[in-house]
Amino acid sequence: MPLVNTKEMLQKAYEGGYAVGAFNVNNMEMIQGIVSAAIEERAPLILQVSNGARKYANPIYLKALIESAVKESNLPIALHLDHGDSYELCVSAIDDGFTSVMIDASHHSFEENIRITRKVVEYAHPRNVTVEAELGRLAGIEDDICVSENDSAFTDPSQVQEFVERTGVDSLAIAIGTSHGVYKFKSEPKLRFDILEEVSKRLPYFPIVLHGASSVLPEYVEIIQNNGGAMKGAKGVPEEMLRKAAKMAVCKINIDSDLRMAFTAAIRKHLFENPSHFDPRQYLAPARENVKQLVKHKIKNVLGCNNKI
Ligand code: G3H
Ligand code: 13P
Ligand code: ZN
């Protein structure tokens, strides 16, 4: 099955009360772990690539790896650009064969965000590529854009209808209290479900996206801490909150940090327990397996998108 865009998969997710996982990928083992989980769970899948991932792995290598996964899997997979920060980057990803792009102009003014997003939509839609945009700002690091906790701003529901109508976007990322990275909350986790509710009233049947949605699972924090790592105070979004969001208008949930932690936890543990090992396959194989088990868990217990093919 060739790569697909996100239109149909997000619409089905809306109707079915579940969310599709959008997993960030940087290397072969991550891609293999994620895709084999989706195959076993018969789940639709979004593989997303940030600008940082493109710089790290070289777009040509990443694309070839993803194409191999698509060929092997026979699943509906979308290849999505995560946090495209300019029109030019989105165009380059579309020309490279991405089937979906995010234009993140949320750090600009409302009018400028609309202008840039509209321009990307005009390039993408005739090429059958779907576009995600962002309204409101998340705390944390978005690729090369760093937004401090004080600088974050919840999405204003009174702006969403005008934004979607004037830009023609296919999905919208909103800020309701999630943030990127592994230190999401200083005290108790709290999401503004009232904002999500209000946004979905104003945009009926329109797919909403949640960024910064890793749960920072305590078992991985513990393994990392016990094997020489330092992640004190790491805290994520509780899984039951994500499940609730997925039953509402949230149709795409972005996960990166949890994959990184699963991968790193396996490598740290393996090397600590096997100091004589030096063949990367010895520690990358358990890292890949950890990613697979984590993604299976997310698909079944958090996103609810198992058996949706
Ligand atoms: O939202 C950001 C993603 O986690 C990608 O992170 O820019 O380090 O690849 P990255
Ligand atoms: P996490 O850092 O919570 O995994 O968020 C990832 C993300 O939003 C990618 O766009
Ligand atoms: Zn993000």
Side-chain angles (χ1 to χ4, degrees):
M1 182 182 289
L3 284 167
V4 297
N5 68 29
T6 58
K7 190 87 191 166
E8 196 182 317
M9 63 168 84
L10 296 189
Q11 213 56 56
K12 280 188 182 165
Y14 198 109
E15 286 156 16
Y18 60 90
V20 179
F23 299 98
N24 285 72
V25 294
N26 293 276
N27 64 18
M28 183 185 80
E29 285 78 8
M30 289 271 192
I31 295 171
Q32 289 176 333
I34 296 164
V35 172
S36 58
I39 293 173
E40 285 184 18
E41 297 302 333
R42 302 197 45 75
L45 182 64
I46 299 171
L47 292 176
Q48 56 187 14
V49 174
S50 69
N51 199 24
R54 275 163 59 103
K55 282 187 200 152
Y56 169 77
N58 179 338
I60 298 174
Y61 281 73
L62 266 187
K63 198 178 162 222
L65 285 169
I66 291 168
E67 277 168 358
S68 309
V70 168
K71 241 186 246 160
E72 191 200 43
S73 75
N74 207 20
L75 289 177
I77 298 181
L79 172 56
H80 176 79
L81 172 71
D82 191 27
H83 293 287
D85 62 354
S86 68
Y87 170 77
E88 290 72 22
L89 177 57
C90 291
V91 165
S92 138
I94 293 167
D95 292 349
D96 277 352
F98 280 59
T99 53
S100 178
V101 292
M102 174 192 194
I103 172 67
D104 182 357
S106 57
H107 47 290
H108 291 287
S109 68
F110 183 65
E111 279 304 319
E112 189 61 1
N113 191 351
I114 289 182
R115 190 188 68 76
I116 300 171
T117 302
R118 173 82 226 156
K119 208 169 149 197
V120 172
V121 169
E122 280 165 3
Y123 191 82
H125 280 182
R127 292 164 179 81
N128 202 24
V129 171
T130 38
V131 181
E132 170 186 327
E134 181 169 317
L135 203 50
R137 287 193 311 276
L138 272 73
I141 296 162
E142 298 194 340
D143 248 330
D144 298 332
I145 315 160
C146 185
V147 186
S148 77
E149 209 171 325
N150 297 337
D151 253 355
S152 67
F154 294 122
T155 302
D156 176 355
S158 72
Q159 292 184 326
V160 295
Q161 211 175 350
E162 181 184 351
F163 186 85
V164 168
E165 275 168 16
R166 286 177 60 196
T167 57
V169 277
D170 304 285
S171 61
L172 185 66
I174 62 169
I176 59 167
T178 60
S179 59
H180 293 104
V182 297
Y183 303 97
K184 298 185 192 294
F185 301 99
K186 285 197 180 111
S187 50
E188 278 316 291
K190 187 176 182 316
L191 294 189
R192 291 287 306 272
F193 282 102
D194 58 318
I195 296 180
L196 175 58
E197 184 83 55
E198 189 56 36
V199 166
S200 53
K201 268 190 207 145
R202 290 168 189 252
L203 293 174
Y205 303 107
F206 189 82
I208 300 301
V209 178
L210 212 53
H211 281 248
S214 278
S215 293
V216 188
L217 299 165
E219 58 260 43
Y220 292 132
V221 176
E222 200 183 316
I223 295 172
I224 291 172
Q225 293 271 99
N226 290 345
N227 291 280
M231 294 194 73
K232 198 165 173 277
K235 200 186 278 181
V237 183
E239 292 185 334
E240 56 279 10
M241 288 190 187
L242 297 171
R243 191 69 208 101
K244 179 175 171 184
K247 285 184 182 153
M248 296 168 73
V250 170
C251 301
K252 172 176 179 275
I253 291 190
N254 285 12
I255 298 166
D256 187 359
S257 298
D258 279 347
L259 299 171
R260 294 175 178 188
M261 288 179 64
F263 203 77
T264 300
I267 293 173
R268 278 198 177 277
K269 186 166 184 289
H270 185 92
L271 290 177
F272 196 76
E273 288 172 358
N274 302 278
S276 65
H277 284 184
F278 62 92
D279 178 346
R281 292 171 297 187
Q282 291 170 312
Y283 53 84
L284 290 176
R288 177 172 60 191
E289 182 59 23
N290 244 16
V291 166
K292 178 179 173 182
Q293 294 311 324
L294 173 77
V295 173
K296 278 173 71 95
H297 162 71
K298 296 272 179 193
I299 288 173
K300 272 189 295 197
N301 305 321
V302 182
L303 304 159
C305 61
N306 51 321
N307 297 319
K308 295 294 190 284
I309 302 292

